[in-house]
Amino acid sequence: MPAAAAPDEELLGKAAGYPIGSPANWFYDERVRVGSFSHLDSILPHYTLKKAASPLPLRKTSTEPKVEYRFEQQTHTLDDFLNRQRVTGFLLIKDGELLTERYQYNRNADHRLVSHSMAKSIVSLAVGMALAEKKIATLDDTIAKYVPGLAGNPYGETTIRNMLRMASGVPFQESYDGKDDLAKFNRIRLTQDSVAALRAFTTREVEQGSRFHYASNQTVALTLLLRAVTGTSVSEYLTTRLWQPMGAEADATWVRIKDGTEVGSGSFNAVLRDYGRLGILLANDGALGERRIVPKDYLLDATDWHRAARGVRTAQGDTVFRLWLPVLAVSRREAPVRAARRLRAIDFRRSRTQAGDGHYRGGEERQRGEGAARARARCAVARGRRQIRKLVSRAQHRNR
């Protein structure tokens, strides 16, 4: 059941039928954003992760519950939220039951929606599987041990553990303005290859492992690592180990570049319900029934901020081994992933390129500039973190 009118739908291409962009404009041009973000695999080359022969059933509640939330001393409904946010799809699952499923901008359950940085979580899961299979000896090995082309470079001499923690110590600016280090990295990667792009960054500003610093190219180093140790693409590796075992109902795709590696840091595409199935798997400690799919010990290392070195902890432990879980550990007495299942899921990580207005700004006051969009995104992150702190505090109180 869609909201009456999606925010900025005319700006985003409704009158033109939400057109699909080209390799040159799909990311930045708002007029093609909806079409492109749901058809990325028709624009760019990609690998395919084939669906499961027997999808995991999603029980659907007979009556959609009333979903409400409080903000600034007022009660708001899900419709209020969707009327203010550029949300393409919204899915709410509790205890394995599908409570709410909504789409806007003429999207539906068959559209594969781009993951953006949630793809980093999938790369991390693949690392955990390769470690369990002894394809990686230890997370304290350097990347260069497996990717000789990075020998002598700061990224190559960073340990896998610190790369997972985004703690290489290499300075990297990521501001999404087309002039940052990410743009430089992508230009080299697309015209040469992934190794050359990583080797373009030659210095550390701090010792590895001493500080968390968000940088998408560190996930590319892990993608190269996985290619080296598995002898295949990350997509092929995960098809039979993750996508099919978790019961995906539809094929997924992952955009690749000319050197054969996946984008890695983003550009994974899947239907919304399969993102939900992945969430169910993680909420159940990486198991589906009696079948272990993701190594539990790795998930605990990846999600318990108590296990992270102090210097690489973010303010609320948002990501340890780049797993984007809304709540990581609420109590030392229970498994962190299972603890996350007990709390309401909060996603304050709206796409940086698709960030809409926060609840604090009416539609008639919307600003179009990229600077305003980044400011709104920062405000959304701050509000989400405050809500997380409240939830963690309540959970800790219950566990005492």
Side-chain angles (χ1 to χ4, degrees):
M1 183 174 64
D8 300 326
E9 56 187 12
E10 294 303 330
L11 175 68
L12 295 170
K14 180 181 180 181
Y18 296 114
I20 301 170
S22 68
N25 73 349
W26 72 269
F27 190 79
Y28 287 109
D29 190 341
E30 287 195 314
R31 296 168 299 177
V32 300
R33 188 163 291 165
V34 169
S36 299
F37 283 13
S38 52
H39 293 87
L40 192 56
D41 46 25
S42 70
I43 304 172
L44 300 169
H46 58 274
Y47 293 113
T48 298
L49 294 80
K50 301 299 289 185
K51 64 183 180 181
S54 300
L56 176 71
L58 287 179
R59 305 189 315 272
K60 192 166 185 177
T61 183
S62 56
T63 304
E64 181 178 297
K66 188 175 184 180
V67 179
E68 296 180 332
Y69 63 100
R70 297 278 297 171
F71 182 76
E72 293 185 345
Q73 280 121 25
Q74 292 185 9
T75 299
H76 303 278
T77 67
L78 177 56
D79 285 334
D80 293 331
F81 178 79
L82 295 178
N83 286 337
R84 289 175 168 87
Q85 305 292 336
R86 292 182 177 183
V87 174
T88 308
F90 182 96
L91 189 76
L92 178 62
I93 296 174
K94 180 181 179 182
D95 298 328
E97 185 177 33
L98 201 165
L99 301 182
T100 301
E101 183 176 17
R102 302 280 194 93
Y103 297 92
Q104 301 194 116
Y105 307 105
N106 293 348
R107 302 305 94 177
N108 59 51
D110 294 327
H111 282 107
R112 279 193 288 267
L113 307 177
V114 66
S115 68
H116 293 310
S117 287
M118 285 190 295
K120 294 177 174 69
S121 300
I122 298 173
V123 170
S124 177
L125 295 178
V127 171
M129 293 174 177
L131 179 67
E133 293 175 1
K134 309 298 184 185
K135 297 180 185 297
I136 296 170
T138 170
L139 295 182
D140 295 315
D141 282 341
T142 65
I143 298 287
K145 176 179 177 179
Y146 304 95
V147 187
L150 290 176
N153 176 266
Y155 287 126
E157 303 308 324
T158 297
T159 66
I160 300 168
R161 187 183 305 277
N162 285 330
M163 199 67 80
L164 285 164
R165 290 171 169 170
M166 286 196 172
S168 68
V170 180
F172 192 86
Q173 182 189 18
E174 194 162 335
S175 56
Y176 312 98
D177 59 3
K179 303 174 185 178
D180 57 2
D181 287 332
L182 182 61
K184 170 186 172 181
F185 175 81
N186 285 336
R187 282 194 297 270
I188 299 172
R189 192 181 185 200
L190 293 175
T191 56
Q192 299 181 48
D193 58 30
S194 301
V195 170
L198 288 165
R199 293 195 68 90
F201 298 85
T202 59
T203 61
R204 295 190 203 273
E205 59 182 353
V206 295
E207 182 181 356
Q208 67 164 295
S210 65
R211 189 178 74 188
F212 169 86
H213 179 73
Y214 187 88
S216 290
N217 69 337
Q218 294 179 82
T219 308
V220 175
L222 295 171
T223 305
L224 288 174
L225 165 74
L226 288 164
R227 180 94 180 191
V229 301
T230 65
T232 188
S233 67
V234 182
S235 301
E236 183 177 351
Y237 181 68
L238 288 178
T239 295
T240 57
R241 290 170 173 82
L242 176 68
W243 205 245
Q244 292 175 347
M246 78 173 197
E249 70 176 55
D251 294 349
T253 59
W254 209 336
V255 172
R256 59 177 172 83
I257 66 167
K258 68 177 185 178
D259 69 7
T261 59
E262 288 86 352
V263 169
S265 58
S267 298
F268 186 88
N269 308 278
V271 301
L272 189 57
R273 292 175 187 174
D274 283 340
Y275 284 125
R277 287 179 173 91
L278 180 58
I280 290 173
L281 177 66
L282 294 177
N284 286 284
D285 301 335
L288 189 61
E290 298 300 317
R291 182 176 183 181
R292 168 64 48 193
I293 297 175
V294 182
K296 184 174 181 178
D297 287 344
Y298 179 82
L299 277 183
L300 295 181
D301 280 340
T303 57
D304 188 350
W305 65 271
H306 295 99
R307 301 187 183 200
R310 185 173 298 276
V312 300
R313 296 178 189 172
T314 54
Q316 285 76 41
D318 299 332
T319 171
V320 182
F321 284 176
R322 70 195 62 232
L323 280 185
W324 296 89
L325 295 182
V327 178
L328 298 179
V330 299
S331 170
R332 293 178 185 268
R333 297 183 306 206
E334 61 180 324
V337 179
R338 183 168 295 134
R341 186 176 65 233
R342 297 181 55 222
L343 300 177
R344 290 175 292 170
I346 306 168
D347 185 359
F348 55 85
R349 290 169 286 99
R350 292 179 294 158
S351 161
R352 292 176 179 84
T353 62
Q354 199 174 3
D357 292 300
H359 211 142
Y360 52 89
R361 187 180 297 278
E364 70 282 358
E365 299 173 30
R366 289 184 177 115
Q367 300 181 33
R368 308 300 186 198
E370 286 297 317
R374 287 196 296 272
R376 291 195 299 269
R378 286 195 296 270
C379 290
V381 168
R383 288 198 307 276
R385 285 177 172 167
R386 286 195 296 271
Q387 194 170 0
I388 284 175
R389 285 196 293 271
K390 290 179 182 178
L391 287 172
V392 171
S393 177
R394 291 171 189 166
Q396 288 173 334
H397 180 75
R398 287 197 300 268
N399 288 329
R400 287 179 184 145

